[in-house]
Amino acid sequence: MNLYFGIDPGKQGWVVALDECGDLAGEWPIPIIGKGAKGDYDLRRCADIIRDQATAIAHVGIEKPIIKAPAARSSVAKQWDGYGIWRGIAAGLELPYSLVPAKDWQAALLRGKPKGRDEVKTSAMLRAVELWPELNFKNTRPDGPEQGKADAALIAEYIRQTYGERKKKK
C-alpha cells in the first residue's frame, strides 16, 4: 500500500496519511511536550510517526510556512522550527518529500470556494469535511476546531494527486 502524508507543521498542526485511493490511513496531532506556545516539539514522537510508516510512504508533503506581516520574530521562528523538524525527519529517513506552499494546495483543492484572507480557513475546513466526512474536525484542543487536521488532510490529498500512480500514468 502506498501512503501519502500531509503535514501541517505548526504546534497546533497534524499529520494525516491517505492511501492511494484517497481514504484516510492515519491521523496524528503534532506531538508537543508542555502546553500551548510554551510547549516544544517531542522530536522522538514526531520521528516515530513517520518511521513507523516509512516502508509504505510514497511521498510526504510538508506545508511551507507563509510569514504574514507584521509577525513577531519569535512567531516566525516557531513556524520555521516545525517545518525544519519535519523536513529533517523525511530527509533523514530518505523519504521523497515536497515543500508545499499553502497557495499551491489551496489553488488545487479549493476551486470554486472563497479564498480571501478571512475565508480560506473556512473553505479548507468545508472541503475537508466534504472529502472525509468520517474525520472528526471538532475541537479536541481547547483553542478551536482542528484547522491543522483539515489542512494536513488537504496537503496529503494534494500530494496524492500530484505524485500518485494516477498522475504517473498520464
Side-chain angles (χ1 to χ4, degrees):
M1 170 173 26
N2 288 326
L3 296 179
Y4 299 89
F5 272 61
I7 302 174
D8 177 344
K11 288 185 177 179
Q12 298 298 316
W14 282 74
V15 178
V16 172
L18 302 177
D19 67 16
E20 56 270 322
C21 296
D23 294 327
L24 179 67
E27 56 176 300
W28 304 265
I30 298 292
I32 300 294
I33 297 171
K35 292 188 178 185
K38 301 272 186 207
D40 203 1
Y41 293 90
D42 184 338
L43 300 177
R44 182 176 306 272
R45 286 184 49 223
C46 289
D48 286 347
I49 291 170
I50 303 298
R51 187 184 306 108
D52 291 349
Q53 308 293 322
T55 58
I57 294 175
H59 207 94
V60 176
I62 304 165
E63 186 174 48
K64 191 171 183 178
I66 297 172
I67 307 307
K68 296 177 184 170
R73 276 191 235 171
S74 63
S75 173
V76 171
K78 288 175 189 172
Q79 289 181 20
W80 285 94
D81 192 23
Y83 167 79
I85 288 166
W86 291 101
R87 187 175 183 190
I89 291 168
L93 293 172
E94 299 181 351
L95 296 171
Y97 71 93
S98 294
L99 310 175
V100 184
K103 290 187 185 267
D104 290 359
W105 66 260
Q106 290 167 359
L109 294 168
L110 301 182
R111 287 188 189 111
K113 297 202 180 296
K115 290 188 274 286
R117 185 175 185 164
D118 298 329
E119 303 162 318
V120 71
K121 290 196 176 292
T122 301
S123 293
M125 184 68 74
L126 290 171
R127 182 67 175 136
V129 169
E130 290 170 3
L131 291 171
W132 303 282
E134 72 279 11
L135 257 176
N136 179 9
F137 295 104
K138 294 186 176 135
N139 303 3
T140 58
R141 296 179 182 174
D143 53 351
E146 298 294 2
Q147 186 67 48
K149 187 190 293 188
D151 290 354
L154 292 168
I155 294 163
E157 177 61 14
Y158 174 79
I159 290 297
R160 185 185 75 81
Q161 289 180 13
T162 304
Y163 297 98
E165 293 298 320
R166 270 188 329 178
K167 287 288 182 179
K168 290 180 183 175
K169 291 179 183 174
K170 286 185 177 179

